[in-house]
């Protein structure tokens, strides 16, 4: 009898402890460090999403272009527009697939992997050429100045295909028709 009562009490305590379980989260604010630790005994304000207009204003980038006389001028590029999502038949990582659709008009399965675009011969930037690196590719559409190009950029973030300004820094420019 005592064993049953004792086991019932242990079972009751164990189930109560489980119902009070909470996920373990490490709360770390950027201003907290070893010299100035933070205790989170106060309630933290909830982070709100920025309105869409503020995000678009943030994405509109200012760039410096040097003309023929080496005079720096400033221009604003804000033609960031979404032209679609993941094309039908493309894998979840679809930048290579989207670029092959743009360049060749069809899906070339070997080019779904972004690093396979690096097998094409290197060339100088021009409309229709492709900027490639391990992990991402995009098609060059129009030169904006310096190393900035208006680009057809499949899988450019948020599962969207955009035409927007991109820098060529870190990318090799290849000729897919060469």
């Amino acid at each position: 009898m005592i064993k049953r009562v004792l086991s019932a009490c242990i079972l009751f305590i164990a189930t109560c402890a489980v119902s009070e379980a909470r996920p373990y989260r490490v709360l770390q604010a950027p201003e907290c460090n070893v010299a100035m630790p933070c205790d989170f005994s106060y309630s933290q304000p909830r982070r709100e999403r920025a309105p869409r207009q503020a995000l678009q204003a943030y994405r509109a980038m200012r760039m410096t272009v040097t003309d023929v006389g080496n005079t720096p001028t400033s221009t604003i590029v804000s033609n960031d527009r979404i032209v679609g999502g993941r094309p039908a038949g493309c894998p979840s990582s679809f930048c290579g697939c989207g670029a092959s659709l743009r360049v060749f008009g069809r899906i070339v399965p070997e080019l779904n992997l972004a690093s396979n675009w690096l097998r094409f011969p290197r060339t100088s930037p021009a409309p229709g050429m492709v900027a490639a690196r391990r992990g991402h590719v995009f098609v060059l559409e129009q030169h904006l100045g310096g190393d900035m190009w208006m680009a057809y950029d499949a899988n450019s973030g948020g599962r969207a295909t955009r035409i927007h300004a991109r820098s060529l820094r870190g990318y090799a420019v290849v000729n897919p028709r060469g």
Side-chain angles (χ1 to χ4, degrees), residues 2-157:
I2 291 180
K3 284 184 180 180
R4 285 187 178 182
V5 171
L6 187 59
S7 62
C9 289
I10 291 173
L11 181 65
F12 178 75
I13 291 170
T15 57
C16 290
V18 171
S19 66
E20 293 297 319
R22 290 192 170 68
Y24 176 75
R25 291 187 190 142
V26 177
L27 298 174
Q28 184 74 24
E31 59 271 358
C32 299
N33 56 35
V34 175
M36 182 69 110
C38 295
D39 73 338
F40 293 101
S41 57
Y42 59 92
S43 67
Q44 289 189 332
R46 196 177 155 100
R47 289 187 180 182
E48 300 290 326
R49 286 190 96 171
R52 188 145 182 87
Q53 295 83 10
L55 288 174
Q56 287 175 346
Y58 173 75
R59 287 182 181 148
M61 56 187 284
R62 180 173 291 279
M63 66 179 203
T64 303
V65 178
T66 306
D67 64 7
V68 178
N70 289 332
T71 309
T73 58
S74 183
T75 185
I76 295 178
V77 177
S78 61
N79 293 343
D80 183 14
R81 65 180 202 258
I82 296 176
V83 293
R86 180 171 62 92
C90 287
S92 60
S93 297
F94 60 92
C95 63
C97 182
S100 71
L101 278 170
R102 183 71 167 196
V103 172
F104 302 113
R106 63 183 176 87
I107 297 173
V108 180
E110 302 84 43
L111 297 177
N112 287 348
L113 185 62
S115 61
N116 285 347
W117 286 86
L118 296 171
R119 296 178 182 166
F120 289 110
R122 302 296 194 272
T123 187
S124 57
M129 300 300 114
V130 175
R133 69 173 185 207
R134 290 181 171 272
H136 195 63
V137 299
F138 56 87
V139 181
L140 304 179
E141 298 286 322
Q142 179 185 5
H143 186 239
L144 298 175
D147 68 347
M148 295 298 291
W149 280 79
M150 192 60 71
Y152 178 84
D153 194 0
N155 202 13
S156 61

Side-chain angles (χ1 to χ4, degrees), residues 145-174:
D147 68 347
M148 295 298 291
W149 280 79
M150 192 60 71
Y152 178 84
D153 194 0
N155 202 13
S156 61
R159 296 181 187 90
T161 298
R162 291 180 175 82
I163 294 182
H164 61 146
R166 290 292 309 252
S167 171
L168 295 181
R169 275 187 227 133
Y171 287 88
V173 178
V174 297

